[in-house]
Amino acid sequence: QLQASGGGLVQPGGSLRLSCVYSGFDLGEYAIGWFRQVPGKEREGVSCMGVSARSAYYADSVKGRFTISSDHTKNTIYLQMNNLKPEDTAAYYCAADVALYYSCSGQDSSSNVAFWGQGTQVTVSS
């Protein structure tokens, strides 16, 4: 299971931290991460990681602004989002799959991802 939280309304330039509590996944086998979706478009990968965030993937549009991290003692991953822009407005979803990096990077469709949490809305607006 995946349980996401932390979305909200923030002004451009502001920050938010999303959290995703996971259960039933061995991060030695699964990768876990964040996707986002705006109405009428497919979900796109934002950032994904395995056991360590050191080899995390980031979409070009968020590099240098977003950071994925984890606290495995709490079975939680985080997405720290800084310098938010209006184009970051979307529903953000936590996801897990053994081949998540392929979907995260756009090499495979997000429709092939096995496990999804519920979305949390992020709105960046003045």
Side-chain angles (χ1 to χ4, degrees):
Q1 287 187 340
L2 301 163
Q3 184 85 19
S5 62
L9 173 64
V10 63
Q11 293 186 341
S15 297
L16 280 176
R17 189 177 78 160
L18 305 183
S19 301
C20 174
V21 179
Y22 61 89
S23 61
F25 299 104
D26 177 356
L27 293 193
E29 180 180 1
Y30 284 81
I32 192 168
W34 296 94
F35 288 66
R36 64 187 181 187
Q37 186 174 29
V38 297
K41 298 185 72 175
E42 185 175 344
R43 290 180 189 180
E44 63 171 1
V46 175
S47 182
C48 298
M49 61 175 284
V51 173
S52 171
R54 286 178 292 180
S55 59
Y57 165 85
Y58 292 94
D60 288 343
S61 59
V62 306
K63 282 180 181 176
R65 301 187 297 121
F66 291 12
T67 303
I68 193 170
S69 63
S70 62
D71 183 344
H72 297 307
T73 65
K74 298 180 179 179
N75 280 15
T76 302
I77 66 165
Y78 304 98
L79 186 68
Q80 178 67 42
M81 305 185 294
N82 297 330
N83 190 22
L84 282 159
K85 303 176 181 180
E87 52 263 42
D88 295 317
T89 295
Y92 283 71
Y93 295 86
C94 187
D97 194 285
V98 293
L100 193 67
Y101 279 98
Y102 292 102
S103 297
C104 208
S105 63
Q107 297 178 68
D108 192 14
S109 172
S110 61
S111 63
N112 292 325
V113 173
F115 301 100
W116 293 100
Q118 87 289 1
T120 185
Q121 180 68 33
V122 172
T123 302
V124 185
S125 175
S126 55

